[in-house]
Short mmCIF file of all heavy atoms in Angstrom, two decimals:
data_model
loop_
_atom_site.label_atom_id
_atom_site.label_comp_id
_atom_site.label_asym_id
_atom_site.label_seq_id
_atom_site.Cartn_x
_atom_site.Cartn_y
_atom_site.Cartn_z
N PHE B 1197 -16.60 41.47 13.02
CA PHE B 1197 -16.18 41.52 11.66
C PHE B 1197 -17.32 42.10 10.71
O PHE B 1197 -16.99 42.79 9.79
CB PHE B 1197 -15.84 40.14 11.09
CG PHE B 1197 -14.35 39.70 11.36
CD1 PHE B 1197 -14.02 39.08 12.48
CD2 PHE B 1197 -13.40 40.03 10.38
CE1 PHE B 1197 -12.66 38.79 12.71
CE2 PHE B 1197 -12.07 39.75 10.61
CZ PHE B 1197 -11.73 39.12 11.82
N SER B 1201 -15.40 47.49 8.60
CA SER B 1201 -14.84 46.82 7.40
C SER B 1201 -13.43 46.26 7.73
O SER B 1201 -12.48 47.00 8.04
CB SER B 1201 -14.66 47.96 6.28
OG SER B 1201 -13.82 47.44 5.27
N HIS B 1202 -13.41 44.95 7.78
CA HIS B 1202 -12.16 44.26 8.02
C HIS B 1202 -11.68 43.43 6.87
O HIS B 1202 -12.12 42.39 6.68
CB HIS B 1202 -12.24 43.40 9.33
CG HIS B 1202 -12.44 44.19 10.56
ND1 HIS B 1202 -11.38 44.65 11.37
CD2 HIS B 1202 -13.50 44.59 11.18
CE1 HIS B 1202 -11.83 45.37 12.33
NE2 HIS B 1202 -13.18 45.29 12.28
N ILE B 1203 -10.89 44.04 6.06
CA ILE B 1203 -10.35 43.32 4.80
C ILE B 1203 -8.90 43.08 5.23
O ILE B 1203 -7.98 43.80 4.92
CB ILE B 1203 -10.40 44.24 3.66
CG1 ILE B 1203 -11.84 44.80 3.40
CG2 ILE B 1203 -10.07 43.39 2.35
CD1 ILE B 1203 -12.88 43.98 2.87
N CYS B 1204 -8.72 41.89 5.90
CA CYS B 1204 -7.41 41.61 6.44
C CYS B 1204 -6.27 41.60 5.31
O CYS B 1204 -5.13 41.93 5.69
CB CYS B 1204 -7.43 40.25 7.15
SG CYS B 1204 -8.66 40.22 8.46
N CYS B 1207 -4.68 44.89 5.10
CA CYS B 1207 -4.57 45.69 6.34
C CYS B 1207 -3.15 45.71 6.79
O CYS B 1207 -2.42 44.77 6.73
CB CYS B 1207 -5.49 44.99 7.39
SG CYS B 1207 -5.42 45.83 9.03
N VAL B 1208 -2.78 46.87 7.29
CA VAL B 1208 -1.42 47.03 7.83
C VAL B 1208 -1.13 46.05 8.91
O VAL B 1208 0.00 45.64 9.26
CB VAL B 1208 -1.10 48.47 8.27
CG1 VAL B 1208 -1.00 49.41 7.09
CG2 VAL B 1208 -2.07 48.95 9.31
N SER B 1209 -2.18 45.64 9.64
CA SER B 1209 -1.92 44.74 10.76
C SER B 1209 -2.06 43.24 10.39
O SER B 1209 -2.03 42.39 11.26
CB SER B 1209 -3.00 45.07 11.88
OG SER B 1209 -2.59 46.25 12.59
N ASN B 1210 -2.32 42.99 9.12
CA ASN B 1210 -2.45 41.58 8.72
C ASN B 1210 -1.31 40.63 9.28
O ASN B 1210 -0.12 40.97 9.02
CB ASN B 1210 -2.39 41.48 7.10
CG ASN B 1210 -2.74 40.08 6.66
OD1 ASN B 1210 -3.23 39.25 7.35
ND2 ASN B 1210 -2.56 39.87 5.33
N GLY B 1211 -1.63 39.66 10.00
CA GLY B 1211 -0.67 38.73 10.49
C GLY B 1211 -0.18 39.15 11.95
O GLY B 1211 0.44 38.30 12.58
N CYS B 1213 -2.54 40.87 14.15
CA CYS B 1213 -3.77 41.51 14.71
C CYS B 1213 -4.46 40.55 15.68
O CYS B 1213 -4.63 39.35 15.41
CB CYS B 1213 -4.72 41.79 13.50
SG CYS B 1213 -6.27 42.28 14.01
N GLU B 1214 -4.81 41.09 16.84
CA GLU B 1214 -5.55 40.27 17.81
C GLU B 1214 -6.91 39.79 17.35
O GLU B 1214 -7.33 38.65 17.70
CB GLU B 1214 -5.58 40.98 19.20
CG GLU B 1214 -4.23 41.27 19.82
CD GLU B 1214 -4.33 41.95 21.11
OE1 GLU B 1214 -5.14 41.65 21.97
OE2 GLU B 1214 -3.45 42.94 21.36
N LEU B 1215 -7.61 40.63 16.69
CA LEU B 1215 -8.98 40.26 16.15
C LEU B 1215 -8.83 39.16 15.14
O LEU B 1215 -9.63 38.08 15.24
CB LEU B 1215 -9.69 41.48 15.59
CG LEU B 1215 -11.10 41.15 15.01
CD1 LEU B 1215 -11.99 40.72 16.12
CD2 LEU B 1215 -11.65 42.41 14.39
N GLN B 1216 -7.93 39.30 14.27
CA GLN B 1216 -7.67 38.25 13.22
C GLN B 1216 -7.33 36.98 13.80
O GLN B 1216 -7.81 35.87 13.52
CB GLN B 1216 -6.60 38.81 12.26
CG GLN B 1216 -6.22 37.89 11.12
CD GLN B 1216 -5.04 38.43 10.39
OE1 GLN B 1216 -4.09 38.93 11.04
NE2 GLN B 1216 -5.03 38.28 9.14
N ARG B 1251 -11.43 49.91 11.16
CA ARG B 1251 -10.86 48.71 11.84
C ARG B 1251 -11.06 48.83 13.33
O ARG B 1251 -10.55 47.93 14.06
CB ARG B 1251 -9.41 48.65 11.55
CG ARG B 1251 -8.91 48.84 10.13
CD ARG B 1251 -9.34 47.77 9.19
NE ARG B 1251 -8.46 47.63 8.07
CZ ARG B 1251 -8.73 47.14 6.89
NH1 ARG B 1251 -9.98 46.71 6.72
NH2 ARG B 1251 -7.90 47.00 5.90
N PRO B 1307 -5.60 46.70 19.53
CA PRO B 1307 -5.38 45.23 19.13
C PRO B 1307 -5.52 45.04 17.63
O PRO B 1307 -5.24 44.01 17.20
CB PRO B 1307 -6.56 44.62 19.84
CG PRO B 1307 -7.63 45.72 20.05
CD PRO B 1307 -6.81 46.97 20.17
N THR B 1308 -5.94 46.04 16.90
CA THR B 1308 -6.22 45.87 15.46
C THR B 1308 -5.39 46.84 14.62
O THR B 1308 -4.50 47.50 15.11
CB THR B 1308 -7.71 46.12 15.15
OG1 THR B 1308 -7.97 47.49 15.29
CG2 THR B 1308 -8.62 45.30 16.05
N GLY B 1309 -5.77 47.02 13.40
CA GLY B 1309 -5.11 47.96 12.54
C GLY B 1309 -5.82 49.33 12.58
O GLY B 1309 -5.69 50.10 11.62
N ALA B 1310 -6.52 49.67 13.62
CA ALA B 1310 -7.25 50.91 13.66
C ALA B 1310 -6.23 52.06 13.99
O ALA B 1310 -6.35 53.16 13.47
CB ALA B 1310 -8.35 50.86 14.76
S1 SF4 C 1406 -7.74 45.06 11.94
FE1 SF4 C 1406 -7.28 42.89 12.13
S2 SF4 C 1406 -9.21 41.84 11.67
FE2 SF4 C 1406 -9.41 43.97 10.95
S3 SF4 C 1406 -8.76 43.90 8.84
FE3 SF4 C 1406 -6.98 44.35 9.99
S4 SF4 C 1406 -6.00 42.30 10.31
FE4 SF4 C 1406 -8.09 41.95 9.77
#
Side-chain angles (χ1 to χ4, degrees):
Chain B
F1197 272 91
S1201 168
H1202 293 274
I1203 311 281
C1204 300
C1207 179
V1208 290
S1209 285
N1210 188 13
C1213 171
E1214 293 182 42
L1215 179 62
Q1216 181 189 37
R1251 316 291 206 205
T1308 70

